[in-house]
Coordinates of all heavy atoms in Angstrom, one line a residue:
M208 N 104.2 108.7 87.8 CA 104.1 107.8 88.9 C 104.8 108.4 90.1 O 105.8 109.0 90.0 CB 104.9 106.5 88.6 CG 104.7 105.4 89.6 SD 105.5 103.9 89.1 CE 107.2 104.2 89.5
H209 N 104.1 108.3 91.3 CA 104.7 108.9 92.5 C 105.2 107.8 93.4 O 104.6 106.8 93.6 CB 103.5 109.6 93.2 CG 102.9 110.7 92.4 ND1 103.5 112.0 92.3 CD2 101.8 110.7 91.7 CE1 102.7 112.7 91.5 NE2 101.7 112.0 91.1
R210 N 106.3 108.1 94.0 CA 106.9 107.2 95.0 C 106.3 107.6 96.3 O 106.3 108.7 96.7 CB 108.4 107.2 95.0 CG 109.0 106.8 93.7 CD 110.4 106.3 93.8 NE 110.4 105.1 94.6 CZ 111.5 104.3 94.7 NH1 112.5 104.6 94.1 NH2 111.4 103.2 95.4
I211 N 105.9 106.6 97.1 CA 105.3 106.9 98.4 C 106.4 107.2 99.4 O 106.4 108.1 100.1 CB 104.5 105.7 98.9 CG1 103.3 105.5 97.9 CG2 103.9 106.0 100.3 CD1 102.5 104.2 98.2
T212 N 107.5 106.4 99.4 CA 108.6 106.6 100.3 C 109.9 106.3 99.5 O 109.8 105.7 98.3 CB 108.5 105.6 101.5 OG1 108.6 104.3 101.0 CG2 107.3 105.9 102.3
I213 N 111.0 106.6 100.0 CA 112.3 106.3 99.3 C 112.4 104.8 99.1 O 112.8 104.3 98.1 CB 113.5 106.8 100.2 CG1 113.4 108.3 100.3 CG2 114.8 106.4 99.5 CD1 113.4 109.0 99.0
D214 N 112.0 104.0 100.1 CA 112.1 102.5 100.0 C 111.0 101.9 100.7 O 110.5 102.4 101.7 CB 113.5 102.1 100.6 CG 113.7 100.6 100.4 OD1 113.1 100.1 99.4 OD2 114.4 100.0 101.2
G215 N 110.5 100.8 100.2 CA 109.4 100.1 100.9 C 108.0 100.4 100.4 O 107.1 99.8 100.9
G216 N 107.9 101.4 99.6 CA 106.5 101.7 99.2 C 106.0 100.9 98.0 O 104.8 100.7 98.0
M217 N 106.9 100.4 97.2 CA 106.4 99.7 96.0 C 106.6 98.2 96.2 O 107.3 97.7 96.9 CB 107.2 100.2 94.8 CG 107.2 101.7 94.5 SD 105.5 102.3 94.4 CE 105.1 101.7 92.7
C218 N 105.8 97.5 95.4 CA 105.8 96.1 95.3 C 107.2 95.6 95.0 O 107.8 96.2 94.0 CB 104.8 95.6 94.3 SG 105.0 93.8 93.9
E219 N 107.8 94.7 95.7 CA 109.1 94.2 95.5 C 109.2 93.3 94.3 O 110.3 93.0 93.8 CB 109.7 93.5 96.7 CG 109.8 94.5 97.9 CD 110.4 93.7 99.1 OE1 111.2 92.8 98.9 OE2 110.1 94.2 100.2
R220 N 108.1 92.8 93.8 CA 108.2 91.9 92.7 C 108.1 92.6 91.4 O 109.0 92.5 90.5 CB 107.1 90.8 92.8 CG 107.2 89.9 91.6 CD 106.2 88.7 91.8 NE 106.8 87.7 92.8 CZ 106.3 86.5 93.0 NH1 105.3 86.1 92.3 NH2 106.8 85.7 93.9
C221 N 107.1 93.4 91.2 CA 106.9 94.1 89.9 C 107.5 95.5 89.9 O 107.7 96.1 88.9 CB 105.4 94.1 89.5 SG 104.4 95.1 90.5
K222 N 107.7 96.0 91.1 CA 108.2 97.4 91.3 C 107.4 98.4 90.5 O 108.0 99.4 90.1 CB 109.7 97.4 90.9 CG 110.6 96.5 91.8 CD 112.0 96.6 91.4 CE 112.9 95.9 92.4 NZ 112.6 94.6 92.7
D223 N 106.2 98.2 90.3 CA 105.4 99.0 89.5 C 104.1 99.5 90.2 O 103.5 100.5 89.8 CB 105.0 98.3 88.2 CG 104.3 99.2 87.2 OD1 104.9 100.3 87.0 OD2 103.3 98.8 86.6
K224 N 103.7 98.8 91.2 CA 102.5 99.1 92.0 C 102.8 99.3 93.4 O 103.7 98.7 93.9 CB 101.4 98.0 91.8 CG 101.0 97.8 90.4 CD 99.9 96.7 90.3 CE 99.5 96.4 88.9 NZ 100.5 95.6 88.2
P225 N 102.0 100.1 94.1 CA 102.2 100.2 95.6 C 102.0 98.9 96.3 O 101.2 98.1 95.9 CB 101.1 101.2 96.0 CG 100.6 101.9 94.8 CD 100.9 100.9 93.6
G226 N 102.9 98.6 97.2 CA 102.8 97.4 98.0 C 101.4 97.3 98.8 O 100.9 98.3 99.1
Y227 N 101.0 96.1 99.0 CA 99.7 95.9 99.6 C 99.8 95.0 100.8 O 99.1 95.2 101.8 CB 98.7 95.3 98.6 CG 97.4 94.9 99.1 CD1 96.4 95.9 99.4 CD2 97.1 93.6 99.4 CE1 95.2 95.6 99.9 CE2 95.8 93.3 99.9 CZ 94.9 94.2 100.2 OH 93.7 93.9 100.7
I228 N 100.7 94.0 100.8 CA 100.7 93.0 101.8 C 102.1 92.6 102.0 O 102.9 92.4 101.1 CB 99.8 91.8 101.5 CG1 99.7 90.8 102.6 CG2 100.2 91.2 100.2 CD1 98.7 89.7 102.4
V229 N 102.5 92.3 103.3 CA 103.8 91.6 103.6 C 103.6 90.1 103.4 O 102.8 89.5 104.1 CB 104.3 92.0 105.0 CG1 105.6 91.3 105.3 CG2 104.5 93.5 105.1
D230 N 104.4 89.6 102.6 CA 104.2 88.2 102.2 C 105.4 87.4 102.7 O 106.5 87.9 102.6 CB 104.1 88.0 100.7 CG 103.9 86.6 100.3 OD1 102.8 86.0 100.6 OD2 104.8 86.0 99.6
H231 N 105.2 86.2 103.2 CA 106.3 85.3 103.5 C 106.7 84.6 102.2 O 106.0 83.9 101.6 CB 105.9 84.2 104.6 CG 105.7 84.8 105.9 ND1 104.6 85.3 106.4 CD2 106.6 84.9 106.9 CE1 104.8 85.7 107.7 NE2 106.0 85.5 108.0
I232 N 108.0 84.8 101.9 CA 108.5 84.1 100.7 C 108.4 82.6 100.8 O 107.9 81.9 99.9 CB 110.0 84.6 100.5 CG1 110.0 86.1 100.2 CG2 110.6 83.8 99.3 CD1 111.4 86.7 100.2
E233 N 108.9 82.1 101.9 CA 108.7 80.7 102.2 C 107.4 80.5 103.0 O 107.2 81.1 104.1 CB 109.9 80.1 103.0 CG 109.7 78.6 103.4 CD 111.0 78.0 104.0 OE1 112.0 78.6 103.8 OE2 110.8 77.0 104.6
E234 N 106.5 79.8 102.4 CA 105.1 79.7 103.0 C 105.2 79.1 104.4 O 106.0 78.2 104.6 CB 104.3 78.8 102.1 CG 104.2 79.3 100.6 CD 103.1 80.2 100.3 OE1 102.2 80.3 101.1 OE2 103.1 80.8 99.2
L235 N 104.4 79.6 105.3 CA 104.4 79.0 106.6 C 103.7 77.7 106.6 O 102.7 77.5 106.0 CB 103.7 80.0 107.6 CG 104.4 81.4 107.7 CD1 103.7 82.2 108.7 CD2 105.9 81.3 108.0
T236 N 104.3 76.8 107.4 CA 103.7 75.5 107.5 C 103.7 75.1 109.0 O 104.3 75.8 109.8 CB 104.5 74.4 106.8 OG1 105.8 74.3 107.4 CG2 104.7 74.8 105.3
P237 N 102.9 74.1 109.4 CA 103.0 73.6 110.8 C 104.4 73.3 111.2 O 104.7 73.4 112.4 CB 102.1 72.4 110.8 CG 101.1 72.6 109.7 CD 101.9 73.3 108.6
E238 N 105.2 72.9 110.3 CA 106.6 72.5 110.7 C 107.5 73.7 111.0 O 108.4 73.6 111.8 CB 107.2 71.7 109.5 CG 106.7 70.3 109.4 CD 105.3 70.2 108.9 OE1 105.0 71.0 108.0 OE2 104.5 69.4 109.4
N239 N 107.2 74.8 110.3 CA 108.2 76.0 110.5 C 107.6 77.2 111.2 O 108.2 78.2 111.4 CB 108.8 76.4 109.1 CG 107.7 77.1 108.2 OD1 106.7 77.6 108.7 ND2 108.0 77.1 106.9
I240 N 106.3 77.0 111.6 CA 105.6 78.2 112.2 C 106.3 78.7 113.5 O 106.2 79.8 113.8 CB 104.1 77.8 112.4 CG1 103.3 79.1 112.8 CG2 104.0 76.8 113.6 CD1 103.1 80.0 111.6
N241 N 107.0 77.8 114.2 CA 107.6 78.2 115.4 C 109.1 78.5 115.2 O 109.8 78.8 116.2 CB 107.5 77.0 116.4 CG 106.1 76.9 116.9 OD1 105.4 77.9 117.2 ND2 105.6 75.7 117.0
D242 N 109.5 78.5 114.0 CA 110.9 78.8 113.7 C 111.0 80.3 113.4 O 110.6 80.8 112.4 CB 111.4 78.1 112.4 CG 112.8 78.3 112.1 OD1 113.4 79.3 112.6 OD2 113.4 77.5 111.4
L243 N 111.6 81.1 114.4 CA 111.6 82.5 114.2 C 112.4 83.0 113.0 O 112.3 84.1 112.5 CB 112.1 83.2 115.5 CG 111.3 82.9 116.8 CD1 111.8 83.7 118.0 CD2 109.8 83.4 116.5
D244 N 113.4 82.1 112.6 CA 114.2 82.5 111.4 C 113.3 82.6 110.2 O 113.6 83.3 109.2 CB 115.3 81.5 111.2 CG 116.4 81.7 112.2 OD1 116.5 82.8 112.8 OD2 117.2 80.8 112.4
I245 N 112.2 81.8 110.2 CA 111.3 81.8 109.1 C 110.2 82.9 109.3 O 109.9 83.7 108.4 CB 110.6 80.4 109.0 CG1 111.7 79.4 108.7 CG2 109.5 80.5 107.9 CD1 112.3 79.5 107.3
T246 N 109.6 82.9 110.5 CA 108.4 83.7 110.6 C 108.8 85.2 110.8 O 108.0 86.1 110.4 CB 107.6 83.3 111.9 OG1 108.4 83.4 113.0 CG2 107.1 81.9 111.7
L247 N 109.9 85.5 111.4 CA 110.3 86.9 111.6 C 111.4 87.4 110.8 O 111.7 88.6 110.8 CB 110.6 87.1 113.1 CG 109.4 86.9 114.1 CD1 109.8 87.1 115.5 CD2 108.2 87.8 113.7
S248 N 112.1 86.6 110.1 CA 113.2 87.0 109.3 C 112.8 88.0 108.2 O 111.9 87.7 107.4 CB 114.0 85.8 108.7 OG 114.9 86.3 107.8
H249 N 113.5 89.1 108.2 CA 113.2 90.0 107.1 C 113.6 89.4 105.7 O 113.0 89.8 104.7 CB 114.0 91.4 107.3 CG 113.3 92.3 108.3 ND1 112.6 93.4 107.9 CD2 113.1 92.1 109.6 CE1 112.1 94.0 109.0 NE2 112.4 93.2 110.0
E250 N 114.5 88.5 105.8 CA 114.9 87.9 104.5 C 113.8 87.0 103.9 O 113.8 86.6 102.8 CB 116.2 87.1 104.7 CG 117.3 88.0 105.1 CD 118.7 87.5 104.9 OE1 118.8 86.3 104.5 OE2 119.6 88.2 105.0
N251 N 112.9 86.6 104.8 CA 111.8 85.8 104.3 C 110.5 86.6 104.1 O 109.4 86.0 103.9 CB 111.5 84.7 105.3 CG 110.6 83.6 104.7 OD1 110.7 83.2 103.6 ND2 109.6 83.1 105.5
L252 N 110.6 87.9 104.2 CA 109.5 88.8 103.9 C 109.7 89.6 102.7 O 110.8 90.0 102.4 CB 109.3 89.7 105.1 CG 108.9 89.0 106.5 CD1 108.9 90.1 107.5 CD2 107.6 88.3 106.4
Q253 N 108.6 89.8 102.0 CA 108.6 90.7 100.8 C 107.3 91.5 100.8 O 106.3 91.0 101.3 CB 108.8 89.9 99.5 CG 107.7 88.9 99.2 CD 108.0 88.1 98.0 OE1 108.8 88.4 97.2 NE2 107.3 87.0 97.8
Y254 N 107.4 92.7 100.2 CA 106.2 93.5 100.2 C 105.7 93.5 98.8 O 106.3 93.8 97.8 CB 106.7 94.9 100.5 CG 105.6 95.9 100.9 CD1 104.6 95.5 101.8 CD2 105.6 97.2 100.5 CE1 103.6 96.4 102.2 CE2 104.6 98.1 100.9 CZ 103.6 97.7 101.7 OH 102.6 98.6 102.1
L255 N 104.4 93.0 98.7 CA 103.8 92.7 97.4 C 102.6 93.5 97.2 O 101.9 93.9 98.1 CB 103.5 91.2 97.2 CG 104.6 90.2 97.3 CD1 104.0 88.8 97.1 CD2 105.6 90.5 96.2
C256 N 102.3 93.9 95.9 CA 101.0 94.4 95.6 C 100.0 93.3 95.5 O 100.3 92.1 95.5 CB 101.0 95.2 94.2 SG 101.3 94.1 92.8
L257 N 98.7 93.6 95.5 CA 97.7 92.6 95.5 C 97.8 91.7 94.3 O 97.6 90.5 94.5 CB 96.3 93.3 95.5 CG 95.1 92.4 95.7 CD1 95.2 91.6 97.0 CD2 93.8 93.2 95.7
Q258 N 98.1 92.2 93.2 CA 98.1 91.3 92.0 C 99.2 90.3 92.1 O 99.0 89.1 91.8 CB 98.3 92.2 90.7 CG 97.1 92.9 90.3 CD 96.9 94.3 91.0 OE1 97.6 94.6 92.0 NE2 96.0 95.1 90.5
C259 N 100.4 90.7 92.5 CA 101.5 89.8 92.6 C 101.2 88.8 93.7 O 101.6 87.6 93.6 CB 102.8 90.5 92.9 SG 103.4 91.5 91.5
H260 N 100.6 89.2 94.8 CA 100.3 88.3 95.9 C 99.3 87.2 95.4 O 99.4 86.1 95.7 CB 99.7 89.0 97.1 CG 99.4 88.1 98.2 ND1 98.1 87.7 98.4 CD2 100.1 87.5 99.1 CE1 98.1 86.9 99.5 NE2 99.3 86.7 99.9
N261 N 98.3 87.7 94.6 CA 97.4 86.8 94.1 C 98.0 85.8 93.2 O 97.7 84.6 93.2 CB 96.2 87.5 93.4 CG 95.2 88.1 94.4 OD1 95.3 87.8 95.5 ND2 94.3 88.9 93.8
K262 N 98.9 86.2 92.3 CA 99.6 85.3 91.4 C 100.3 84.3 92.2 O 100.3 83.1 91.8 CB 100.5 86.1 90.5 CG 99.8 86.9 89.4 CD 100.8 87.6 88.6 CE 100.1 88.6 87.6 NZ 101.1 89.4 86.9
K263 N 101.0 84.7 93.2 CA 101.8 83.8 94.0 C 101.0 82.8 94.7 O 101.3 81.6 94.8 CB 102.7 84.6 95.0 CG 103.6 83.7 95.9 CD 104.5 84.6 96.7 CE 105.4 83.8 97.6 NZ 104.7 83.1 98.7
T264 N 99.8 83.3 95.2 CA 99.0 82.4 96.1 C 98.1 81.6 95.3 O 97.9 80.4 95.6 CB 98.3 83.3 97.1 OG1 99.2 84.1 97.8 CG2 97.4 82.5 98.1
F265 N 97.4 82.1 94.3 CA 96.3 81.4 93.7 C 96.7 80.8 92.3 O 96.2 79.8 91.9 CB 95.2 82.4 93.4 CG 94.6 82.9 94.7 CD1 94.7 84.2 95.0 CD2 93.8 82.0 95.5 CE1 94.2 84.7 96.2 CE2 93.3 82.5 96.7 CZ 93.5 83.8 97.0
G266 N 97.7 81.4 91.6 CA 98.0 80.9 90.3 C 99.5 81.0 90.2 O 100.1 81.9 90.8
K267 N 100.1 80.2 89.4 CA 101.5 80.2 89.3 C 102.0 80.8 88.0 O 103.1 81.0 87.8 CB 102.1 78.8 89.5 CG 101.6 78.1 90.7 CD 101.8 78.9 92.0 CE 101.1 78.3 93.2 NZ 101.2 79.2 94.4
K268 N 101.0 81.1 87.1 CA 101.4 81.6 85.8 C 101.4 83.1 85.8 O 100.5 83.8 86.3 CB 100.4 81.2 84.7 CG 100.4 79.7 84.5 CD 99.3 79.3 83.5 CE 99.0 77.8 83.4 NZ 97.8 77.5 82.7
E269 N 102.5 83.7 85.3 CA 102.5 85.1 85.2 C 101.5 85.6 84.1 O 101.1 84.8 83.2 CB 103.9 85.6 84.7 CG 105.0 85.3 85.7 CD 104.9 86.2 86.9 OE1 104.5 87.3 86.8 OE2 105.1 85.7 88.0
N270 N 101.0 86.7 84.3 CA 100.0 87.3 83.4 C 98.7 86.6 83.4 O 97.8 86.9 82.6 CB 100.5 87.3 81.9 CG 101.8 88.1 81.8 OD1 102.0 89.1 82.4 ND2 102.8 87.6 81.0
E271 N 98.5 85.8 84.4 CA 97.2 85.2 84.5 C 96.3 86.1 85.3 O 96.3 86.1 86.5 CB 97.3 83.8 85.1 CG 95.9 83.1 85.1 CD 96.1 81.6 85.7 OE1 97.2 81.3 86.1 OE2 95.1 80.9 85.6
E272 N 95.5 86.9 84.7 CA 94.7 87.9 85.4 C 93.3 87.5 85.6 O 92.6 88.1 86.3 CB 94.7 89.2 84.6 CG 96.2 89.6 84.2 CD 96.6 90.9 84.9 OE1 95.8 91.8 84.8 OE2 97.7 90.9 85.4
Y273 N 92.9 86.4 84.9 CA 91.5 86.0 85.0 C 91.5 84.5 85.2 O 92.4 83.8 84.9 CB 90.7 86.3 83.7 CG 90.7 87.8 83.5 CD1 91.6 88.5 82.8 CD2 89.7 88.6 84.1 CE1 91.6 89.8 82.6 CE2 89.6 90.0 83.9 CZ 90.6 90.6 83.1 OH 90.6 91.9 83.0
F274 N 90.3 84.0 85.6 CA 90.2 82.6 85.8 C 88.8 82.2 85.5 O 87.9 83.0 85.5 CB 90.6 82.1 87.2 CG 89.6 82.5 88.3 CD1 88.8 81.6 88.8 CD2 89.5 83.8 88.7 CE1 87.9 81.9 89.8 CE2 88.6 84.2 89.7 CZ 87.8 83.3 90.2
F275 N 88.6 80.9 85.1 CA 87.3 80.4 84.7 C 86.7 79.8 86.0 O 87.4 79.1 86.7 CB 87.4 79.4 83.6 CG 87.7 79.9 82.3 CD1 89.0 80.0 81.9 CD2 86.7 80.5 81.5 CE1 89.3 80.5 80.6 CE2 87.0 81.0 80.3 CZ 88.3 81.1 79.8
R276 N 85.4 80.0 86.2 CA 84.7 79.3 87.2 C 83.9 78.2 86.6 O 83.7 78.1 85.4 CB 83.9 80.3 88.1 CG 84.8 81.0 89.0 CD 84.3 82.0 89.9 NE 82.9 81.9 90.3 CZ 82.3 82.6 91.3 NH1 83.0 83.5 91.9 NH2 81.1 82.4 91.6
S277 N 83.3 77.4 87.5 CA 82.6 76.2 87.0 C 81.4 76.6 86.1 O 80.9 75.7 85.4 CB 82.2 75.4 88.2 OG 81.4 76.1 89.1
D278 N 80.9 77.8 86.2 CA 79.8 78.2 85.4 C 80.2 78.6 84.0 O 79.4 79.0 83.2 CB 78.9 79.2 86.0 CG 79.7 80.5 86.3 OD1 80.9 80.6 86.0 OD2 79.1 81.4 87.0
G279 N 81.5 78.6 83.7 CA 82.0 79.0 82.4 C 82.3 80.4 82.2 O 82.8 80.8 81.2
Q280 N 81.9 81.3 83.2 CA 82.2 82.7 83.1 C 83.6 83.0 83.5 O 84.3 82.3 84.2 CB 81.3 83.5 84.1 CG 79.8 83.3 83.7 CD 79.4 84.1 82.5 OE1 80.0 85.1 82.1 NE2 78.4 83.5 81.8
I281 N 84.1 84.1 82.9 CA 85.5 84.5 83.3 C 85.4 85.6 84.4 O 84.6 86.5 84.2 CB 86.2 85.1 82.0 CG1 86.3 84.0 80.9 CG2 87.6 85.6 82.4 CD1 86.9 84.6 79.7
Y282 N 86.2 85.4 85.4 CA 86.2 86.4 86.5 C 87.6 86.9 86.7 O 88.6 86.2 86.4 CB 85.8 85.7 87.8 CG 84.3 85.3 87.8 CD1 83.9 84.1 87.2 CD2 83.4 86.1 88.4 CE1 82.6 83.8 87.2 CE2 82.0 85.8 88.4 CZ 81.6 84.6 87.8 OH 80.3 84.3 87.8
P283 N 87.7 88.1 87.2 CA 89.0 88.6 87.6 C 89.6 87.7 88.7 O 88.9 86.9 89.3 CB 88.8 90.0 88.1 CG 87.4 90.3 87.6 CD 86.7 89.1 87.5
L284 N 90.9 87.9 89.0 CA 91.5 87.1 90.1 C 90.6 87.3 91.4 O 90.1 88.3 91.7 CB 92.9 87.7 90.4 CG 94.0 87.2 89.4 CD1 95.2 88.0 89.6 CD2 94.2 85.7 89.5
P285 N 90.5 86.2 92.1 CA 89.7 86.2 93.3 C 90.3 87.2 94.4 O 91.5 87.3 94.4 CB 89.8 84.8 93.8 CG 91.0 84.2 93.2 CD 91.2 84.9 91.9
P286 N 89.4 87.7 95.1 CA 89.9 88.7 96.2 C 90.6 87.9 97.3 O 90.3 86.7 97.5 CB 88.6 89.3 96.7 CG 87.5 88.3 96.4 CD 88.0 87.6 95.1
V287 N 91.5 88.6 97.9 CA 92.1 88.0 99.1 C 91.2 88.2 100.3 O 91.0 89.4 100.7 CB 93.5 88.7 99.3 CG1 94.1 88.1 100.6 CG2 94.4 88.4 98.1
N288 N 90.6 87.2 100.8 CA 89.6 87.4 101.8 C 89.9 86.8 103.1 O 89.1 86.6 104.0 CB 88.2 86.9 101.3 CG 88.3 85.4 100.9 OD1 89.3 84.7 101.2 ND2 87.3 84.9 100.2
Y289 N 91.2 86.4 103.3 CA 91.6 85.8 104.6 C 92.6 86.6 105.3 O 93.3 86.1 106.2 CB 92.1 84.4 104.3 CG 93.3 84.4 103.3 CD1 94.6 84.7 103.7 CD2 93.0 84.1 102.0 CE1 95.6 84.7 102.8 CE2 94.0 84.1 101.1 CZ 95.3 84.4 101.5 OH 96.3 84.4 100.6
L290 N 92.7 87.9 105.0 CA 93.7 88.7 105.6 C 93.4 89.0 107.1 O 92.4 89.4 107.4 CB 93.9 90.0 104.9 CG 94.4 89.9 103.5 CD1 94.5 91.2 102.8 CD2 95.8 89.2 103.5
Ligands
ZN571 ZN1 103.5 93.7 92.1

């Protein structure tokens, strides 16, 4: 495994995959979107890989790598398409 940088290269949650997206730990809402302590605070930001971000955003269960769709087929985690 290669480290990209001394710090900040790897996912902060699993520390096993390269980071992919800066995520707000506290989800942004209409109520806090203008609160700079929330939106810009480094303490509210974490660097996640795509898998961890998907788990946080789409599913709450760890190790949930697949999901069922209405046609009964199993699909991988959905892509993040709103970046
Ligand atoms: Zn991760």
Side-chain angles (χ1 to χ4, degrees):
M208 188 174 81
H209 301 279
R210 299 204 66 167
I211 298 173
T212 61
I213 298 299
D214 186 26
M217 301 305 287
C218 170
E219 291 182 32
R220 180 170 287 194
C221 66
K222 295 180 169 55
D223 190 46
K224 300 185 183 71
Y227 175 78
I228 183 172
V229 176
D230 180 66
H231 286 89
I232 295 171
E233 180 170 339
E234 308 266 347
L235 299 185
T236 68
E238 286 72 39
N239 69 22
I240 191 69
N241 291 319
D242 184 342
L243 296 185
D244 286 338
I245 298 291
T246 58
L247 293 182
S248 170
H249 279 251
E250 300 201 351
N251 194 39
L252 297 175
Q253 58 185 346
Y254 198 42
L255 297 180
C256 68
L257 184 58
Q258 285 87 347
C259 288
H260 179 260
N261 281 351
K262 285 179 187 172
K263 178 173 182 288
T264 304
F265 296 110
K267 307 310 174 189
K268 296 177 190 166
E269 295 292 323
N270 301 320
E271 186 175 4
E272 309 245 311
Y273 299 90
F274 71 108
F275 289 95
R276 284 180 26 171
S277 55
D278 59 5
Q280 297 289 329
I281 301 175
Y282 292 84
L284 282 169
V287 178
N288 56 15
Y289 55 82
L290 292 179

